[in-house]
Amino acid sequence: MRSSPPTRAKNSNTAIRVNRLNTKVITAEYLSQAAQALRDGGTVVFPTETVYGLGADGLNDAAVGKIYEAKGRPGDNPLIIHIADKADVAQLVREIPPAAQLLMQRYWPGPLTLIFPKSERVGQVVTAGLDTVAVRMPSNRIARALIRESGVYVAAPSANLSGSPSPTTVEHVIDDLDGRVNFIIDGTGCEIGLESTVVDVSVTPPVLLRPGAVTLEELRELLPDIVAGRQEEENAPKCPGMKYTHYAPKAQVTVVYGPKGRRQEYIKECLKGEPNAGVLTYRGGCYEDAKLVIDAGESMQAYASGLFANLRNFDTHQIRVIYAEFEQAGGMGRAVQNRLYKAAGYRVINLYEK
Ligand code: TXA
Ligand code: MG
């Protein structure tokens, strides 16, 4: 008989939690148990190259329902179905438009989700009643091995409680979902740190619904007519998940958007009246009056990969208000800006306009 995997000590400090399930935290060597759980209609958290995902059998309505329940996710926010092989997409969609062929060839496996007209096989729960389905083929080794071994199409949103920052470490997953899922795979490789780029290829021209590591500039090389929503419009319902408060730590976030000197001056002034403030610096401001200063890094890639962990870290230190430095940036900067603005509930001080 196989020995059962070790259960990790619970270190959850999340207020909203139920302990109905005996969550097993395993390493990838026990992956076949997690794959079996997926086949049996259970829930498994696994790492991807973007963030951790909370997976279940995407063609089993009852299993998909468990995802919504575990996350506390509104039922009108559809999920992404993850596949291990490109050819599998044909089972899930009515057609593969030419724009999709180009993108799949260039960016799958990888951090790109495509929205297709859905096939009959795909149910109403996973798509929240839409006539389209989101599909992604991740590149993370553990994710691919799990999907392949389970033999199911794995529906998976980010593995956080609805509204919280997405998890990029197993500790963050445990904080949010311990007792709410069957398995958590303790893996590595969430190196991108922000969720996948989402492109709707069910319409012509294709539309960028969520910016991510596959950038608008890169997409335009293949699809010159792609339409990108403006930052504010990305809150609009075509990508239903984008309308909810997202990525938010408990602390109140203010984005200070502007040239380096001005934003530092502005933040220093704000800190004078705030005993419990933190600063997320970008390219190195010095803030003596802040209770906690976290360096977002020297590049937008670094800002992206650390963003969600940094936001959670401010909460761990009981910071009440966070000032996050940000500046104009294309490429990956667009994705960082999108998540940061949502984390701030669009509380943005634009110093370029002043
Ligand atoms: O990187 C990622 O995409 C991660 C990992 C786990 O793969 N997953 C992820 O899933 O971020 P989630 O559920 O947190 O975000 C999926 C987004 C939501 O904004 C959702 O509304 C949108 O994709 N979406 C899903 N199906 C859609 C559809 N048929 N049409 C439009 N938007 C859709
Ligand atoms: Mg999410």
Side-chain angles (χ1 to χ4, degrees), residues 50 73 77-78 80 82 132 134 136 157-158 195-196 210 238 240-241:
T50 57
R73 180 174 175 117
N77 189 3
I80 298 170
H82 296 67
T132 51
R136 172 159 118 77
S158 48
E195 308 83 350
S196 60
R210 181 173 72 181
K238 185 77 213 284

Side-chain angles (χ1 to χ4, degrees), residues 46-55 67 71 73 76-82 110-116 118 126-128 130-136 138 154-160 166 192 194-200 202 209-210 237-244 246-247 339:
F46 58 96
T48 83
E49 68 278 19
T50 57
V51 300
Y52 274 86
L54 161 50
I67 295 178
K71 273 183 72 92
R73 180 174 175 117
D76 64 350
N77 189 3
L79 308 178
I80 298 170
I81 300 187
H82 296 67
L112 176 67
T113 296
L114 299 176
I115 311 290
F116 296 89
K118 80 172 189 68
V126 70
T127 58
L130 296 176
D131 192 35
T132 51
V133 62
V135 186
R136 172 159 118 77
V154 180
S158 48
N160 50 285
S166 300
I192 293 170
L194 300 183
E195 308 83 350
S196 60
T197 304
V198 179
V199 177
D200 188 350
S202 73
L209 294 178
R210 181 173 72 181
K238 185 77 213 284
C239 203
M242 304 304 264
K243 77 182 182 213
Y244 298 104
H246 255 79
Y247 319 121
R339 306 311 192 278

Side-chain angles (χ1 to χ4, degrees), residues 209-225:
L209 294 178
R210 181 173 72 181
V214 176
T215 64
L216 181 60
E217 292 82 350
E218 288 170 327
L219 293 167
R220 278 201 181 121
E221 281 177 24
L222 293 179
L223 308 175
D225 60 345

Side-chain angles (χ1 to χ4, degrees), residues 173-312:
V173 173
I174 292 169
D175 283 348
D176 276 17
L177 296 179
D178 189 16
R180 292 173 166 255
V181 294
N182 297 114
F183 282 89
I184 295 173
I185 302 179
D186 180 353
T188 52
C190 300
E191 65 273 348
I192 293 170
L194 300 183
E195 308 83 350
S196 60
T197 304
V198 179
V199 177
D200 188 350
V201 288
S202 73
V203 291
T204 314
V207 180
L208 172 64
L209 294 178
R210 181 173 72 181
V214 176
T215 64
L216 181 60
E217 292 82 350
E218 288 170 327
L219 293 167
R220 278 201 181 121
E221 281 177 24
L222 293 179
L223 308 175
D225 60 345
I226 189 169
V227 176
R230 295 199 1 239
Q231 268 323 321
E232 316 83 68
E233 289 167 357
E234 276 154 15
N235 213 21
K238 185 77 213 284
C239 203
M242 304 304 264
K243 77 182 182 213
Y244 298 104
T245 312
H246 255 79
Y247 319 121
K250 295 188 185 73
Q252 181 188 74
V253 181
T254 302
V255 180
V256 184
Y257 179 59
K260 190 168 172 171
R262 275 208 215 162
R263 62 182 193 245
Q264 292 181 357
E265 214 175 283
Y266 182 90
I267 293 173
K268 279 181 185 159
E269 207 45 48
C270 294
L271 287 174
K272 286 182 185 158
E274 299 271 14
N276 247 323
V279 182
L280 185 59
T281 62
Y282 181 59
R283 297 187 166 148
C286 177
Y287 300 102
E288 280 156 10
D289 291 333
K291 191 170 164 198
L292 177 66
V293 178
I294 297 180
D295 185 0
E298 286 296 310
S299 67
M300 279 299 155
Q301 271 67 25
Y303 206 137
S305 70
L307 178 62
F308 291 142
N310 289 336
L311 291 177
R312 284 179 184 253

Side-chain angles (χ1 to χ4, degrees), residues 343-354:
Y346 292 89
R347 177 188 294 269
V348 178
I349 307 296
N350 187 340
L351 298 172
Y352 289 111
E353 284 173 357
K354 294 199 172 141

Side-chain angles (χ1 to χ4, degrees), residues 299-330:
S299 67
M300 279 299 155
Q301 271 67 25
Y303 206 137
S305 70
L307 178 62
F308 291 142
N310 289 336
L311 291 177
R312 284 179 184 253
N313 203 357
F314 282 113
D315 281 346
T316 307
H317 288 85
Q318 276 86 44
I319 297 297
R320 291 229 312 275
V321 294
I322 301 169
Y323 296 97
E325 286 190 48
F326 198 71
E327 65 189 24
Q328 277 166 350

